[in-house]
Amino acid sequence: MADIAFLRFANAFHDRLKDIGYSLRRAEHQWPDTDRAMLSRAINAKTLSAGNYLLLCEMAGLDPYAYLERPPHRRVTLKSIAEQMVTPSATRETEGAR
């Protein structure tokens, strides 16, 4: 399952604000769809909703796909299935007793 690398995004977002000369207060003023709490969460690598993440990427001119992390794809084969651990069967104390 893919996830957003919020730490990398936070660093890039912070660098972008510095590049354009925006403080959090100025960014909040220039980007009316944002608020200080949202901007603070972005700078501090906190989880953002998908909508807020995309909004901030758009406002800052960042590519949202640049911070998408995908785990390595693991191909399932008959061999990989055969090599999986299986719980060994065990005899039970009551087995066979009637």
Side-chain angles (χ1 to χ4, degrees), residues 42-90:
I43 294 292
N44 291 303
K46 303 294 183 195
T47 302
L48 298 165
S49 70
N52 287 342
Y53 170 72
L54 291 171
L55 176 69
L56 292 177
C57 284
E58 179 186 353
M59 297 292 174
L62 298 173
D63 177 13
Y65 292 103
Y67 311 101
L68 190 63
E69 290 184 333
R70 294 183 181 113
H73 180 68
R74 184 170 170 237
R75 205 172 86 178
V76 178
T77 63
L78 288 176
K79 182 179 178 182
S80 67
I81 293 171
E83 292 175 351
Q84 290 179 358
M85 298 273 299
V86 177
T87 306
S89 59

Side-chain angles (χ1 to χ4, degrees), residues 3-41:
D3 202 5
I4 298 167
F6 283 109
L7 182 58
R8 283 193 305 120
F9 171 70
N11 292 332
F13 188 72
H14 185 261
D15 290 346
R16 180 66 179 144
L17 288 180
K18 283 194 322 187
D19 289 346
I20 60 177
Y22 280 14
S23 64
L24 291 183
R25 185 178 307 277
R26 182 159 182 210
E28 179 184 19
H29 178 71
Q30 295 287 46
W31 302 332
D33 293 332
T34 66
D35 59 34
R36 181 97 37 98
M38 181 195 314
L39 296 167
S40 177
R41 284 193 304 273

